[in-house]
């Protein structure tokens, strides 16, 4: 499958739900939605709802982390698809900072698509594992920063 085909599948509501059901069922249950996905940038929303809330009347941090990871993971997966060799990818580190309570829909955006692709290409060309720390920032409907996640991906050509 090519990266463009993969990104187009994610834009189709039924195919996207089937992808989540088969690969990330908890993300489907939590209500994560891909709002935008191309080779350079991915935006994922996570709602504040009964399933995602914590006792402090905000979105549970794990639901926020799931949305942030998905926004980086879609770009990481897309970067591996057009390579001449198969590439294994794995999250090896997660860092986060929280700035404000998430009490509505939170949008996480990662714009590191080009840098992720470069890391994958280095892994294939050099035949050595490569790591890249992708950043995903979450904002509320007013554009206020809720949280920032740095998710370090490891890429290894097989």
């Amino acid at each position: 499958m090519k990266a463009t085909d993969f990104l187009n599948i994610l834009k189709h509501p039924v195919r996207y739900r089937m992808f989540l059901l088969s690969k990330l069922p908890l993300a489907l249950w939590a209500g994560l939605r891909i709002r935008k996905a191309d080779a350079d940038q991915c935006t994922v929303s996570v709602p504040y709802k009964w399933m995602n809330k914590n006792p402090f009347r905000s979105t549970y941090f794990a639901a926020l982390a799931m949305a942030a990871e998905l926004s980086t993971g879609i770009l990481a997966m897309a970067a591996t698809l057009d390579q001449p060799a198969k590439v294994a990818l794995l999250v090896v580190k997660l860092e986060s900072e929280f700035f404000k309570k998430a009490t509505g829909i939170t949008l996480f955006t990662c714009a590191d698509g080009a840098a992720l692709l470069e890391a994958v290409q280095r892994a294939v060309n050099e035949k050595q594992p490569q790591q890249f720390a992708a950043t995903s920032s979450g904002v509320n409907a007013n554009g206020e920063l809720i949280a920032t996640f740095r998710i370090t991906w490891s890429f290894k050509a097989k």
Side-chain angles (χ1 to χ4, degrees):
M1 175 183 296
K2 292 186 174 201
T4 53
D5 296 336
F6 172 67
L7 294 170
N8 285 332
I9 286 172
L10 300 177
K11 293 175 184 175
H12 188 275
V14 173
R15 289 182 180 162
Y16 169 68
R17 284 186 177 89
M18 294 306 292
F19 167 76
L20 286 186
L21 186 61
S22 66
K23 304 291 184 190
L24 298 164
L26 193 55
L28 179 64
W29 187 257
L32 271 58
R33 299 284 181 262
I34 295 176
R35 299 295 179 112
K36 177 184 179 185
D38 59 36
D40 297 317
Q41 184 174 326
C42 183
T43 300
V44 175
S45 66
V46 59
Y48 171 67
K49 63 179 192 174
W50 177 83
M51 182 60 61
N52 299 342
K53 70 179 184 173
N54 63 28
F56 312 109
R57 291 178 282 177
S58 61
T59 304
Y60 184 50
F61 83 94
L64 297 173
M66 201 171 13
E69 189 267 343
L70 184 59
S71 72
T72 65
I74 292 298
L75 296 174
M77 287 177 69
T80 66
L81 292 175
D82 290 334
Q83 300 304 314
K86 287 194 175 199
V87 179
L89 61 157
L90 180 68
V91 172
V92 295
K93 187 175 181 181
L94 174 89
E95 300 172 271
S96 60
E97 282 187 273
F98 300 91
F99 305 102
K100 189 172 178 66
K101 278 186 168 187
T103 57
I105 291 177
T106 305
L107 298 172
F108 280 92
T109 300
C110 177
D112 292 333
L116 283 160
L117 178 60
E118 186 179 309
V120 169
Q121 288 173 336
R122 272 196 322 272
V124 171
N125 295 339
E126 298 174 12
K127 297 181 179 35
Q128 292 291 321
Q130 300 292 316
Q131 292 187 357
F132 180 77
T135 301
S136 184
S137 297
V139 298
N140 63 16
N142 297 327
E144 300 168 310
L145 186 62
I146 300 295
T148 299
F149 286 81
R150 288 182 46 86
I151 297 151
T152 303
W153 288 90
S154 174
F155 302 101
K156 183 178 178 181
K158 294 183 178 184

